[in-house]
C-alpha cells in the first residue's frame, strides 16, 4: 500500500486498494433526461443558446470536452468560437504547470468584457485546475462572474449542474474530493471525422512527487474491455481511421479489473477489429512498459510504431526524488528492447528541467541520456511547484535564470536531434494518413506517417480520411513536407 499526503478538503491519505465505482447506466440516462428538460426549457423561452468550450492541457481534457459538447448538444445548444456571441462558456482547465493556470485565470478575467456586453452569459469552469481546493476557493472569492465550477469527478452529471446554475439563485461549486468513478454511455460530440480519442482508463496511482494529477483525477480505474472494444468498433464503422487510446499510464490498464487482462491484451483485441485504421496510445510509464507490450505492438499490424515514454530526467538521483521507479540504465534497456522489436520505432518523451536540487551534473546526465536515445521529439518543461505535492516542499537552491539556461541547452539539443531525424526522411516515399487541412496554401493538407510523424502535404482535399503515398521533399525540426504520389517509389 502506498500512501500519499494531499491538501484536499479533509486531510486524507490514499489507499491503493480502493474500490472501483462503476456508475450504473441509469444514472447517465437520468442525466440525459435532465439535458432534454433543459433543452425543452430553452425552447419554451424561444432561445437557441450558443456554447463555446475552451480546452487547455492534455488529450484527456480534449476528450472530456467532447463529453461536455455532447451534453450541451443534448441541451439544444449550437456552438460558436466567438466569446461575445456565446450564451454559455465552459473552460476546461489544466493544473499541470503554473503557466497554464495563469493563462486560464487571465482569460477568465478578460471575460468580464463579454459578460458586461451579454449579462445573461453563463460562465463555467471545469477540469483539473478547479479540483484543487485552493483554486476553487480563489475562484469563489475573486471571480464572481463564474457561475458554475466542477471538477473532473463531476463531469458525468454536467446536465444536473447546468440546470442548477441556470435556474438556481446561487453559484454552483461541485469540487468534492473523490477517488473517481467509471461511467459508460455518455453522449459525445467528437471534434473530427478521421482521428478519435478513446479513453481506456482514468486517474493515476503513481504519485510522481512533482505531479498534481493523482490528486485531481483520482485513482486508476480501467473501463471494461468489452465497452472499449465496442466503442472502437463503432468508431471504425463510422469511418475513423486513427484511434488514440488514452490514459495517464496505459501500461497499468486492467490492474483493477476482475480478470487477467493487461494493456497488451487490450491492444491486440482492438487491432483485431476488421477495417483499415491506425491504433495509437498515450501515455506509457517506463516502469510498466513490458516486453509483451513491445512484442504486441510489433505483431499487430494496426499498431503505430510510436511510444511516448516520458523519461523526465537522466539522473538516477533525481529520478529517485521524483519517485519514478526506474533508473537511467533500466530506461535505456527498455528503449533498446523496444527498438529490437520495432527498428523503425518513433520515440518521444517529456523532460522536466530544474527539479528541486538538480545540479549541473544531474542535468549533464539528462543531456547525455537524450543524446544516447536520440528522441524523435521531446516535450521539455521547467519544473513548476504544485501545491500539495511532495516536491513543492523540497529546498531548491537553483535560480530561475540557471534553470532557463539548462532549459535552452536542452531545447537546442532536442531541436538538433529531431531536425537530423527528420532530414533523414527526405527523398523517401512513405504511406501516410491524410487527416486534415492546413492554412498554408502550398501544403494544404496535414497527414501522419504510420509512426505518427507530421507531414505537411501537397495533394487533393478529397483524400482527407484516406491512406496515400507521400514523397518527402523537405523537413524542419517539427515536421516533414511532401507531395502525394501514385504509388510507392
Ligand atoms: N512541473 C513541470 N512539468 C511537469 N509535468 C508534470 N508535472 C510537472 C510540474 N510540476 C510534465 C511531465 C509530464 C508532462 C505531462 O508534464 O513531464 O510528463
Ligand atoms: Fe503525473 Fe507521474 Fe501520474 Fe504521469 S505517471 S500523471 S507524471 S503522477
Amino acid at each position: 500500500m502506498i500512501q500519499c499526503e494531499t491538501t484536499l478538503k479533509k486531510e486524507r491519505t490514499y489507499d491503493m486498494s480502493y474500490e472501483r465505482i462503476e456508475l450504473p447506466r441509469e444514472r447517465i440516462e437520468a442525466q440525459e433526461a435532465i439535458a432534454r428538460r433543459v433543452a425543452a426549457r430553452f425552447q419554451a423561452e424561444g432561445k437557441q443558446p450558443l456554447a463555446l468550450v475552451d480546452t487547455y492541457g492534455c488529450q484527456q481534457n480534449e476528450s472530456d470536452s467532447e463529453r461536455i459538447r455532447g451534453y450541451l448538444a443534448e441541451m439544444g445548444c449550437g456552438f460558436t468560437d466567438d466569446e461575445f456571441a456565446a450564451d454559455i462558456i465552459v473552460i476546461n482547465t489544466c493544473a499541470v504547470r503554473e503557466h497554464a493556470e495563469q493563462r486560464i485565470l487571465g482569460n477568465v478575467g478578460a471575460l468580464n468584457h463579454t459578460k458586461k456586453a451579454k449579462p445573461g452569459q453563463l460562465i463555467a469552469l471545469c477540469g483539473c485546475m478547479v479540483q484543487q481546493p485552493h483554486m476553487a476557493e480563489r475562484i469563489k472569492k475573486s471571480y464572481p462572474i463564474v457561475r458554475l465550477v466542477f471538477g473532473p469527478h463531476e463531469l458525468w452529471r454536467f446536465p444536473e449542474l447546468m440546470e442548477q446554475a441556470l435556474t438556481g439563485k446561487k453559484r454552483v461549486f461541485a469540487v468534492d474530493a473523490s477517488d473517481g468513478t467509471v461511467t459508460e454511455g455518455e453522449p459525445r460530440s467528437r471534434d473530427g471525422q478521421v482521428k478519435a480519442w478513446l479513453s481506456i482508463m482514468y486517474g493515476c496511482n503513481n504519485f510522481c512527487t512533482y505531479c498534481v494529477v493523482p490528486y485531481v483525477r483520482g485513482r486508476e480505474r480501467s473501463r471494461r474491455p468489452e465497452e472499449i472494444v465496442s466503442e472502437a468498433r463503432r468508431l471504425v464503422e463510422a469511418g475513423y481511421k486513427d484511434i488514440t487510446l488514452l490514459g495517464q499510464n496505459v501500461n497499468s490498464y486492467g490492474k483493477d479489473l476482475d480478470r487477467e487482462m493487461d494493456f497488451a491484451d487490450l491492444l491486440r483485441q482492438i487491432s483485431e477489429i476488421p477495417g483499415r485504421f491506425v491504433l495509437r496510445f498515450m501515455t506509457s510509464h517506463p516502469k510498466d512498459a513490458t516486453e509483451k507490450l513491445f512484442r504486441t505492438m510489433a505483431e499487430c499490424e494496426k499498431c503505430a510504431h510510436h511510444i511516448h515514454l516520458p523519461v523526465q530526467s537522466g539522473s538516477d538521483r533525481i529520478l529517485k526524488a521524483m519517485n519514478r521507479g526506474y533508473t537511467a540504465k533500466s530506461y535505456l534497456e527498455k528503449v533498446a528492447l523496444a527498438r529490437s522489436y520495432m527498428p523503425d520505432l518513433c520515440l518521444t518523451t517529456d523532460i522536466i528541467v530544474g527539479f528541486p536540487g538538480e545540479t549541473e551534473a544531474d542535468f549533464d546526465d539528462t543531456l547525455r541520456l537524450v543524446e544516447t536515445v536520440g528522441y524523435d521529439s521531446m516535450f521539455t518543461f521547467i519544473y513548476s511547484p504544485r501545491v500539495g505535492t511532495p516536491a513543492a516542499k523540497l529546498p531548491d537552491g537553483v535560480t530561475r535564470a540557471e534553470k532557463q539556461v539548462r532549459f535552452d541547452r536542452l531545447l537546442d539539443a532536442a531541436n538538433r536531434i529531431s531536425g537530423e531525424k527528420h532530414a533523414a526522411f527526405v527523398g523517401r516515399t512513405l504511406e501516410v494518413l491524410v487527416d486534415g487541412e492546413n492554412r498554408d496554401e502550398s501544403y494544404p493538407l496535414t497527414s501522419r506517417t504510420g509512426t505518427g510523424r507530421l507531414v505537411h502535404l501537397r495533394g487533393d482535399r478529397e483524400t482527407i480520411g484516406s491512406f496515400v503515398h507521400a514523397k518527402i521533399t523537405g523537413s524542419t525540426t517539427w515536421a516533414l513536407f511532401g507531395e502525394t504520389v501514385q504509388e510507392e517509389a
Side-chain angles (χ1 to χ4, degrees):
M1 188 206 289
I2 305 169
Q3 294 205 318
C4 242
E5 206 186 326
T6 85
T7 57
L8 295 176
K9 236 181 208 166
K10 297 177 267 160
E11 194 64 25
R12 50 184 284 187
T13 53
Y14 282 118
D15 177 350
M16 294 310 169
S17 55
Y18 78 103
E19 249 178 85
R20 45 178 282 128
I21 301 169
E22 282 180 50
L23 286 184
R25 279 202 191 239
E26 302 84 74
R27 303 282 297 276
I28 301 299
E29 283 159 15
Q31 292 299 319
E32 293 194 274
I34 299 174
R36 287 193 293 276
R37 196 158 72 207
V38 172
R41 193 190 163 92
F42 282 139
Q43 207 173 17
E45 291 169 355
K47 288 186 192 156
Q48 278 191 318
L50 289 177
L52 184 159
V53 181
D54 198 6
T55 312
Y56 292 79
C58 63
Q59 290 84 355
Q60 187 59 57
N61 258 21
E62 299 280 350
S63 171
D64 283 350
S65 287
E66 292 181 344
R67 290 161 70 195
I68 294 169
R69 282 199 203 93
Y71 271 140
L72 285 167
E74 289 201 343
M75 288 178 220
C77 295
F79 293 94
T80 177
D81 289 332
D82 176 359
E83 51 204 25
F84 282 94
D87 300 288
I88 298 164
I89 297 184
V90 183
I91 305 183
N92 191 2
T93 65
C94 171
V96 170
R97 282 170 296 275
E98 194 189 355
H99 179 66
E101 290 186 334
Q102 281 169 347
R103 260 181 58 219
I104 293 163
L105 291 176
N107 289 347
V108 176
L111 291 180
N112 272 305
H113 300 296
T114 65
K115 179 81 179 161
K116 221 171 249 162
K118 211 174 166 88
Q121 190 173 58
L122 189 150
I123 300 171
L125 284 189
C126 63
C128 294
M129 183 182 92
V130 300
Q131 185 65 45
Q132 303 170 102
H134 71 283
M135 273 297 176
E137 209 46 48
R138 186 160 166 194
I139 287 150
K140 199 174 267 175
K141 284 211 185 100
S142 311
Y143 295 84
I145 56 166
V146 178
R147 181 147 186 87
L148 166 62
V149 175
F150 60 100
H153 304 302
E154 312 285 347
L155 200 161
W156 66 273
R157 60 186 195 100
F158 177 53
E160 177 189 339
L161 298 171
M162 273 292 283
E163 190 178 50
Q164 280 173 25
L166 287 164
T167 59
K169 288 210 166 61
K170 287 194 185 147
R171 299 163 77 197
V172 179
F173 280 75
V175 288
D176 279 352
S178 162
D179 280 341
T181 51
V182 179
T183 52
E184 295 294 347
E186 289 164 299
R188 183 180 282 273
S189 182
R190 292 194 180 269
D191 286 341
Q193 275 143 17
V194 182
K195 294 194 276 190
W197 308 121
L198 207 180
S199 294
I200 62 164
M201 60 189 299
Y202 311 99
C204 181
N205 286 359
N206 291 311
F207 290 98
C208 301
T209 55
Y210 51 81
C211 187
V212 75
V213 169
Y215 304 93
V216 291
R217 283 206 177 258
R219 301 289 56 74
E220 277 174 4
R221 45 231 193 258
S222 308
R223 290 177 68 194
R224 295 194 173 274
E226 54 276 20
E227 298 283 0
I228 298 170
V229 173
S230 76
E231 186 173 341
R233 187 169 287 119
R234 285 197 302 276
L235 288 171
V236 174
E237 283 165 5
Y240 287 92
K241 297 283 187 311
D242 186 320
I243 299 176
T244 304
L245 309 180
L246 294 180
Q248 303 298 338
N249 174 17
V250 292
N251 295 336
S252 47
Y253 175 79
K255 285 187 181 164
D256 56 324
L257 290 174
D258 50 7
R259 64 191 94 173
E260 282 296 305
M261 168 104 194
D262 65 13
F263 179 57
D265 298 328
L266 181 71
L267 265 187
R268 196 174 287 278
Q269 281 192 18
I270 299 174
S271 66
E272 277 162 7
I273 295 172
R276 178 86 204 266
F277 63 97
V278 181
L279 190 54
R280 309 182 193 282
F281 58 86
M282 71 188 328
T283 290
S284 285
H285 195 306
K287 78 176 163 56
D288 302 317
T290 58
E291 181 163 9
K292 179 177 171 189
L293 170 67
F294 305 143
R295 192 181 334 111
T296 307
M297 288 174 72
E299 284 172 6
C300 294
E301 230 175 58
K302 288 165 187 157
C303 279
H305 288 184
H306 170 213
I307 306 187
H308 183 64
L309 205 59
V311 69
Q312 312 296 3
S313 169
S315 152
D316 289 346
R317 210 176 62 81
I318 297 295
L319 286 171
K320 189 148 193 276
M322 287 176 163
N323 188 32
R324 289 292 288 175
Y326 55 85
T327 60
K329 182 164 174 278
S330 66
Y331 180 91
L332 290 172
E333 282 165 3
K334 288 232 166 132
V335 167
L337 188 60
R339 283 181 166 153
S340 73
Y341 281 96
M342 294 166 284
D344 61 342
L345 183 69
C346 175
L347 198 66
T348 56
T349 202
D350 293 340
I351 294 189
I352 297 177
V353 171
F355 184 82
E358 182 192 72
T359 61
E360 263 319 295
D362 294 319
F363 177 68
D364 285 344
D365 286 345
T366 301
L367 273 184
R368 202 166 319 118
L369 180 135
V370 160
E371 297 286 349
T372 308
V373 174
Y375 290 105
D376 292 272
S377 97
M378 289 165 50
F379 299 87
T380 50
F381 310 102
I382 292 185
Y383 168 73
S384 168
R386 305 285 65 214
V387 173
T389 58
K393 300 189 191 87
L394 295 175
D396 187 5
V398 188
T399 64
R400 172 76 204 193
E402 283 172 274
K403 292 184 184 192
Q404 188 66 48
V405 171
R406 288 181 197 167
F407 179 82
D408 293 344
R409 283 176 64 198
L410 183 63
L411 200 61
D412 283 349
N415 289 347
R416 176 178 44 76
I417 297 167
S418 346
E420 284 165 10
K421 294 243 161 196
H422 280 150
F425 283 91
V426 176
R428 287 177 60 186
T429 297
L430 307 170
E431 193 178 35
V432 295
L433 170 64
V434 186
D435 58 11
E437 290 187 64
N438 249 339
R439 285 211 193 100
D440 181 351
E441 273 308 305
S442 358
Y443 292 93
L445 303 173
T446 59
S447 64
R448 296 257 165 199
T449 66
T451 53
R453 288 188 176 86
L454 174 63
V455 183
H456 296 291
L457 201 62
R458 282 205 181 110
D460 194 337
R461 282 191 169 80
E462 279 169 19
T463 57
I464 293 177
S466 39
F467 292 88
V468 300
H469 285 99
K471 171 120 198 228
I472 305 303
T473 52
S475 74
T476 62
T477 305
W478 315 110
L480 301 173
F481 292 79
E483 53 196 36
T484 326
V485 290
Q486 278 315 309
E487 56 197 340
E488 207 162 343

